[in-house]
Amino acid sequence: MADPKGFLTTDREVAETRPVEERVQDWNEVYKPGSLLPIISKQASRCMDCGIPFCHNGCPLGNLIPEWNDYAYRNDWTAASERLHATNNFPEFTGRLCPAPCESACVLGINQPPVTIKNVEVSIIDKAWDSGDVTPQPPERLSGKTVAVIGSGPAGLAAAQQLTRAGHTVAVYERADRIGGLLRYGIPEFKMEKRHINRRIEQMRAEGTKFRTEVEIGRDIDAKKLRKRYDAVVVAAGSTTSRDLPVPGRELNGIHFAMEYLPLANKVQEGDLTVSPISAEGKHVVVIGGGDTGADCVGTAHRQGAASVTQLEIMPKPGEERNANQPWPTFPMLYKVTSAHEEGGERVYSVNTTHFEGDEDGNVQWLHLVEVDMSGGRPEPKPGTERKIPAQLVTLAMGFTGIDKTNGLVEQFAFGLDERGNVARDADYMTDVDGVFVAGDAGRGQSLIVWAIAEGRSAAKGVDRYLTGVNSALPAPVRPTDRALTV
Ligand SMILES: Cc1cc2nc3c(=O)[nH]c(=O)nc-3n(C[C@H](O)[C@H](O)[C@H](O)COP(=O)(O)OP(=O)(O)OC[C@H]3O[C@@H](n4cnc5c(N)ncnc54)[C@H](O)[C@@H]3O)c2cc1C
Ligand code: SF4
């Protein structure tokens, strides 16, 4: 156990962010480099090594949190990294981007601020990279079996790494020009610098995973033909169909899905473009949708020099404390101030967009909204609350409705879908097509990176069992029936 009195003698501290006025001038991560180093062992010492560590269950990966807290407290960073990698292929992604349901489940959190688990996680992995502890782990022998993975987001990458290490020959097919899925083209550089993806890709290449970019399965290669070429297929194609807002004026110029807007800003950071063709510079920006995707649009608009940024949410403002419906150790819906919100802009709750108004050239200029009452479960407009706000760039960040069904992939495989339109699968993550598995948002619906990695690992175990005919030794955290734990 880390220091038995740590939680009595040490207060919670988290990574320091750079001053707002400095960080909105660049696209680098918002955190102050090195700010965790002096505090992190003390923070790890706050872990009480509980008899029943609820944080394990809170983490979809089942991360061995008290074990690596103990190593971090003792400054044994190599052992900490080994325990961390025992359950998580990419802790540098989760340590930066995870909303940390583990911390909501931390026992200390019942009556004190919880252990800063996510910051310990990122410190362990950053130190491991710096000290050369993260090395390729190629398999000792090859199985002679081949696997195609469709999609290179966190689910596809986790499945591919697990299966390559198990000795199978794995090729990852990605329709985009770079590997990474939403990590690459959804999440902005200021939340996670893309160098973290690049070095993992290098590690995976050295282990033997092959990558094929700019190949869309369904369009460029028939899905059934792909199935014939490989002994198994993992579909990790994400939930990339954006939810639309079919109100009058939607067709005006300047109204874009978040996933039309954000990738272009990331392409500027990759050096492909000098300026984004959809820029917020000098514009009144309205972001519709109060979640993570919306917050990423807010932070991007700040950095592009927006005149103003307003984020709209149809639901009421969440509370700042748990209520009776969301007791410990559940992951509660609380009011969150992300780094993008610290940087400015206004958030407006309980409002619905009625229509957009444009100028004579067809460019959006105004967004008309009305306040709504959600107490009955549906938005009831409040009479007399209609108003309009300036809107020269609007981004729609209202979630995603499932896997892309336009490119032939779903049709050619003739997948069965579940009641939410996601690809249906059994307890081994196999779809109703023999030898074709599904992991991540494609099977689960829009979710989190930690869940995508967890499902990639679980699907890999299902594939390994299918290919070898014996119980797989690959470690795996979740089955589809664990959906009750969804956050
Ligand atoms: C803007 C934004 C911000 C987010 N921020 C966070 C966050 O901070 N923390 C968090 O935990 N989660 C966040 N999420 C959610 C998280 O990114 C996803 O849950 C996660 O990436 C899902 O992983 P995945 O591998 O299932 O799919 P994806 O990451 O969506 O990857 C799927 C990949 O498949 C490719 N593909 C699709 N069809 C084909 C085909 N037919 N052939 C070849 N390739 C194909 C796509 O191009 C894509 O690269 C965010 C999501 C968005 C949109
Ligand atoms: S992956 Fe997320 S839930 Fe799991 S330990 Fe890390 S921050 Fe916590």
Side-chain angles (χ1 to χ4, degrees):
M1 176 184 182
D3 180 359
K5 292 194 178 150
F7 68 98
L8 296 172
T9 55
T10 305
D11 291 334
R12 177 181 160 106
E13 277 183 79
V14 294
E16 247 183 277
T17 47
R18 294 185 290 131
V20 167
E21 52 286 3
E22 175 193 315
R23 69 189 200 229
V24 293
Q25 304 300 325
D26 64 46
W27 292 81
N28 300 336
E29 284 177 10
V30 297
Y31 296 103
K32 209 176 205 170
S35 74
L36 279 170
L37 293 179
I39 61 163
I40 208 65
S41 291
K42 289 286 271 179
Q43 287 302 306
S45 82
R46 295 183 72 237
C47 178
M48 303 186 294
D49 192 17
C50 306
I52 298 176
F54 281 79
C55 52
H56 276 194
N57 215 30
C59 173
L61 284 160
N63 271 351
L64 305 167
I65 296 160
E67 292 186 34
W68 39 260
N69 273 333
D70 188 37
Y71 287 122
Y73 168 65
R74 295 172 201 287
N75 283 309
D76 187 348
W77 298 99
T78 300
S81 165
E82 185 274 317
R83 295 319 284 148
L84 185 51
H85 281 103
T87 55
N88 190 352
N89 297 67
F90 313 120
E92 63 274 36
F93 305 160
T94 46
R96 285 178 170 77
L97 299 166
C98 187
C102 55
E103 294 186 14
S104 303
C106 172
V107 175
L108 197 52
I110 295 173
N111 63 356
Q112 278 197 41
V115 176
T116 169
I117 298 169
K118 177 176 157 174
N119 281 181
V120 177
E121 181 176 29
V122 82
S123 303
I124 295 169
I125 183 58
D126 285 355
K127 276 176 183 281
W129 277 108
D130 289 349
S131 64
D133 278 344
V134 185
T135 53
Q137 296 172 35
E140 281 172 13
R141 58 183 180 84
L142 293 178
S143 67
K145 303 283 185 189
T146 57
V147 183
V149 174
I150 304 173
S152 68
L157 292 180
Q161 187 165 58
Q162 293 296 94
L163 288 165
T164 302
R165 288 177 176 177
H168 308 304
T169 301
V170 180
V172 178
Y173 289 87
E174 169 55 57
R175 66 182 173 187
D177 57 352
R178 287 189 178 85
I179 296 298
L182 289 173
L183 297 169
R184 173 76 65 182
Y185 282 135
I187 286 155
E189 190 83 1
F190 57 82
K191 267 174 55 179
M192 188 179 77
E193 291 166 11
K194 305 309 162 199
R195 63 190 172 91
H196 300 296
I197 312 174
N198 298 342
R199 60 186 179 185
R200 272 298 169 187
I201 304 305
E202 285 316 305
Q203 183 201 33
M204 290 180 67
R205 278 192 216 280
E207 289 169 353
T209 308
K210 306 269 182 279
F211 293 97
R212 312 257 184 273
T213 52
E214 298 184 276
V215 183
E216 186 161 14
I217 305 303
R219 214 183 293 275
D220 300 322
I221 299 179
D222 182 273
K224 282 210 171 113
K225 284 196 184 140
L226 184 83
R227 172 69 191 93
K228 282 203 186 116
R229 272 200 231 162
Y230 289 87
D231 295 310
V233 174
V234 179
V235 176
S239 168
T240 56
T241 311
S242 302
R243 183 170 284 114
D244 208 346
L245 184 63
V247 297
R250 166 67 180 91
E251 72 290 348
L252 291 166
N253 302 323
I255 305 174
H256 302 276
F257 288 121
M259 281 306 295
E260 291 168 345
Y261 174 61
L262 294 170
L264 291 170
N266 284 9
K267 279 184 166 284
V268 173
Q269 296 314 307
E270 295 280 4
D272 297 349
L273 300 167
T274 39
V275 283
S276 172
I278 308 176
S279 172
E281 190 176 357
K283 293 181 183 156
H284 294 292
V285 177
V286 181
V287 176
I288 305 182
D292 275 342
T293 307
D296 290 350
C297 293
V298 170
T300 300
H302 289 322
R303 282 162 181 75
Q304 290 176 338
S308 72
V309 185
T310 309
Q311 189 178 13
L312 306 181
E313 171 56 50
I314 198 166
M315 299 301 290
K317 184 178 172 185
E320 293 186 21
E321 301 288 336
R322 285 182 190 275
N323 62 28
N325 297 335
Q326 307 181 88
W328 178 90
T330 59
F331 184 61
M333 280 286 288
L334 296 179
Y335 178 70
K336 267 201 311 194
V337 181
T338 68
S339 67
H341 297 122
E342 284 170 3
E343 291 160 4
E346 188 191 357
R347 284 195 272 180
V348 185
Y349 291 90
S350 303
V351 289
N352 202 3
T353 303
T354 57
H355 61 284
F356 299 104
E357 183 186 330
D359 60 18
E360 58 283 3
D361 297 324
N363 301 316
V364 68
Q365 293 296 334
W366 298 96
L367 180 150
H368 291 251
L369 55 80
V370 64
E371 289 175 23
V372 291
D373 177 2
M374 290 293 294
S375 56
R378 295 180 59 79
E380 279 303 326
K382 292 186 186 168
T385 62
E386 298 83 3
R387 63 182 196 271
K388 65 178 185 177
I389 57 173
Q392 293 155 340
L393 171 65
V394 177
T395 67
L396 307 178
M398 300 176 305
F400 299 86
T401 58
I403 187 170
D404 186 346
K405 299 183 183 82
T406 64
N407 57 17
L409 175 70
V410 171
E411 215 173 86
Q412 289 159 17
F413 274 133
F415 285 136
L417 302 178
D418 68 16
E419 65 287 353
R420 288 156 67 223
N422 302 314
V423 179
R425 65 272 180 91
D426 66 14
D428 267 349
Y429 287 74
M430 190 152 82
T431 66
D432 47 15
V433 182
D434 183 58
V436 180
F437 294 71
V438 64
D441 283 8
R444 166 176 206 89
Q446 179 194 355
S447 187
L448 296 172
I449 291 156
V450 62
W451 272 109
I453 300 172
E455 288 213 359
R457 291 171 68 85
S458 297
K461 188 179 180 80
V463 172
D464 193 38
R465 185 155 42 205
Y466 174 82
L467 293 177
T468 59
V470 293
N471 216 358
S472 167
L474 281 177
V478 286
R479 289 175 165 249
T481 44
D482 289 342
R483 280 223 178 102
L485 296 174
T486 304
V487 292

